[in-house]
Amino acid sequence: MPPKKAEAPKQPPLIGRFGTSLKIGIVGLPNVGKSTFFNVLTKSQAAAENFPFCTIDPNESRVPIPDDRFDYLCQFHKPASKVPAFLNVVDIAGLVKGASAGQGLGNAFLSHISACDGIFHMSRAFEDEDIIHVEGSVDPVRDIEIIHEELRLKDEEMIDPIIDKLEKVAVRGGDKKLKPEYDIMCKIKSWVVDEKKHVRFYPDWNDKEIDVLNKYLFLTSKPMIYLVNLSEKDFIRKKNKWLAKIKEWIDAHDPHALVIPLCGGLEAKLQDMDDEEKKKYCEEQKTQSVLPKIIKSGYAALQLEYFFTAGPDEVRAWTIRKGTKAPQAAGKIHTDFEKGFIMAEVMKYDDFKEEGTENAVKAAGKYRQQGRNYTVEDGDIIFFKFNTPNAPKKK
């Protein structure tokens, strides 16, 4: 008897909304540089004024993901249409201390955050007499704690009514089906309310618990990337008195989170230059823009990746969740592709670039035909074969 195939390790389920049109919100206290960063990110001009709450409607925009692979495929095929992958970014107005209790523009912002799936958490580590700081002084560690606490308090407020309702049905009403959900909610409550910790700080939620977390989508379960806004001088010399303290705090409270220093002012300045000027300035100052890194990390934090379809008509990046199987990836292009899926013909981008053409990849034996159990990988170049579902016969 042939040996049984070893089962692939099961991927843990992902916390968060299921889908591919996910958004990431820029969150922070007022006047830390969120709108400046958003403007640079989207080249759109949200009013960046120097007073708290100058962003009330959350400005939203789609930012193309910078990718050399996509650029290479476009150069190679010279297609009529080019569609990169996009990251949806939302500029959320400044949160202040007490927002969970309705301070400032309080609850409206927290609801804007709950509509996002990930958070760029921006803190300010630059001194500037002209830009007021809502807490009176610059202290990014205190600012990070304020935001964390506001998000946690909002979740705390959400948890009690959920538990009361479940208690009514599961405990007093004896509904056995809801009892496990009630127990899990009690565990979440003891972590968020009693221990005063964020949902995502808990190292190992199991599958059932993640199902419950995904039902309620708590603010503190959203992945967070920390952006530290520095002055240009500090950013260029890569030194700032707060950086070590911020890193220390994050390592203690939110290990494995990404911290990216940036300078909003410098990014804005670089954006106004043409490519030649920008290159010259970066070389002189020995610096470079961190925008591509921020955009890519935001996309990865949402557990997204993309595959390419490429040819003379169109080169396009299709966004999928990590771990998507071939038929579901085909369904992104058209639902008929998923229904009538036969197979996916896959080549890796690196093989394509190395061999030079599709035929050369085939000749080298690197062009694979994959069935419906194939998990699509980031950067795959795919051609799908499918049957068209039965069309009504003409009489």
Side-chain angles (χ1 to χ4, degrees):
M1 230 170 89
K4 272 191 178 173
K5 273 190 185 167
E7 283 201 3
K10 195 167 164 280
Q11 289 296 318
L14 306 169
I15 293 188
R17 213 169 281 158
F18 193 80
T20 52
S21 52
L22 303 177
K23 304 181 211 171
I24 192 157
I26 307 170
V27 175
L29 294 178
N31 293 352
V32 294
K34 294 184 302 297
S35 294
T36 305
F37 169 63
F38 179 79
N39 291 343
V40 171
L41 211 49
T42 59
K43 297 190 178 171
S44 64
Q45 300 302 314
E49 303 301 334
N50 172 25
F51 53 88
F53 316 129
C54 61
T55 323
I56 295 175
D57 296 330
N59 294 293
E60 204 173 309
S61 99
R62 296 170 73 212
V63 186
I65 312 269
D67 188 340
D68 299 339
R69 299 173 300 183
F70 179 78
D71 299 340
Y72 175 82
L73 290 172
C74 289
Q75 266 174 329
F76 181 88
H77 290 289
K78 304 196 169 37
S81 146
K82 303 172 187 176
V83 186
F86 288 97
L87 176 66
N88 297 319
V89 182
V90 185
D91 182 17
I92 297 170
L95 265 178
V96 290
K97 199 170 190 169
S100 55
Q103 282 297 317
L105 296 173
N107 288 321
F109 297 160
L110 291 160
S111 70
H112 291 155
I113 298 172
S114 67
C116 292
D117 304 280
I119 296 172
F120 279 141
H121 182 158
M122 189 135 195
S123 55
R124 165 179 167 180
F126 64 89
E127 304 279 349
D128 189 326
E129 299 295 311
D130 300 335
I131 302 177
I132 49 180
H133 190 293
V134 74
E135 289 288 317
S137 65
V138 171
D139 179 348
V141 175
R142 174 202 59 208
D143 299 352
I144 290 174
E145 284 179 338
I146 289 175
I147 301 274
H148 270 206
E149 187 57 8
E150 291 307 320
L151 298 179
R152 194 191 64 73
L153 287 168
K154 196 65 196 168
D155 278 353
E156 193 171 301
E157 202 179 287
M158 233 175 107
I159 288 170
D160 283 335
I162 295 171
I163 288 190
D164 291 348
K165 199 170 161 192
L166 284 168
E167 191 176 9
K168 226 178 258 173
V169 187
V171 184
R172 297 203 292 274
D175 185 333
K176 289 198 175 72
K177 272 197 288 207
L178 286 174
K179 181 77 172 73
E181 188 175 324
Y182 171 75
D183 294 340
I184 291 169
M185 278 309 302
C186 290
K187 178 177 173 180
I188 294 170
K189 179 177 178 174
S190 81
W191 181 252
V192 175
V193 180
D194 307 336
E195 305 247 346
K196 300 201 176 329
K197 301 261 178 73
H198 278 206
V199 168
R200 68 175 188 292
F201 297 172
Y202 188 78
D204 29 41
W205 296 109
N206 65 31
D207 297 10
K208 295 251 167 37
E209 290 163 350
I210 287 178
D211 287 344
V212 172
L213 288 170
N214 285 350
K215 182 173 173 183
Y216 297 110
L217 296 167
F218 296 111
L219 300 183
T220 59
S221 67
K222 300 179 190 299
M224 198 179 264
I225 291 173
Y226 297 85
L227 304 178
V228 184
N229 200 359
L230 306 173
S231 65
E232 186 174 334
K233 183 178 147 202
D234 284 354
F235 179 73
I236 290 172
R237 67 192 183 115
K238 298 187 171 59
K239 277 196 186 128
N240 177 285
K241 64 177 180 184
W242 293 107
L243 282 176
K245 292 176 187 164
I246 293 171
K247 186 82 183 93
E248 199 178 298
W249 190 92
I250 289 168
D251 285 345
H253 296 81
D254 194 354
H256 313 304
L258 200 56
V259 183
I260 306 178
L262 83 152
C263 168
L266 174 70
E267 299 289 354
K269 195 176 351 177
L270 290 175
Q271 198 154 60
D272 295 337
M273 302 177 181
D274 58 39
D275 292 346
E276 201 55 43
E277 268 182 290
K278 191 191 288 186
K279 196 174 159 195
K280 190 174 162 213
Y281 187 81
C282 287
E283 278 171 8
E284 279 171 8
Q285 302 291 344
K286 296 191 176 49
T287 188
Q288 61 185 21
S289 166
V290 288
L291 280 191
K293 179 179 177 185
I294 292 174
I295 296 168
K296 284 178 181 169
S297 354
Y299 192 75
L302 296 176
Q303 305 289 343
L304 298 175
E305 57 186 21
Y306 43 85
F307 66 90
F308 298 112
T309 51
D313 297 335
E314 178 177 72
V315 168
R316 182 165 186 160
W318 300 87
T319 295
I320 51 174
R321 276 304 280 268
K322 279 185 181 146
T324 300
K325 299 271 187 246
Q328 286 68 48
K332 283 277 155 237
I333 301 177
H334 196 291
T335 46
D336 286 355
F337 280 32
E338 185 175 348
K339 287 177 194 153
F341 179 86
I342 300 172
M343 64 173 166
E345 300 191 339
V346 181
M347 52 182 168
K348 300 290 175 208
Y349 167 79
D350 292 338
D351 294 340
F352 177 70
K353 191 171 179 186
E354 191 183 316
E355 303 295 343
T357 64
E358 187 175 316
N359 288 337
V361 174
K362 284 180 180 167
K366 294 176 180 171
Y367 193 81
R368 303 260 185 269
Q369 293 183 332
Q370 303 285 9
R372 52 181 61 250
N373 287 330
Y374 175 68
T375 302
V376 177
E377 293 176 2
D378 185 53
D380 278 355
I381 301 168
I382 304 185
F383 178 73
F384 290 106
K385 289 196 167 169
F386 69 103
N387 279 325
T388 37
N390 302 334
K393 287 178 181 163
K394 289 180 182 170
K395 286 183 181 170

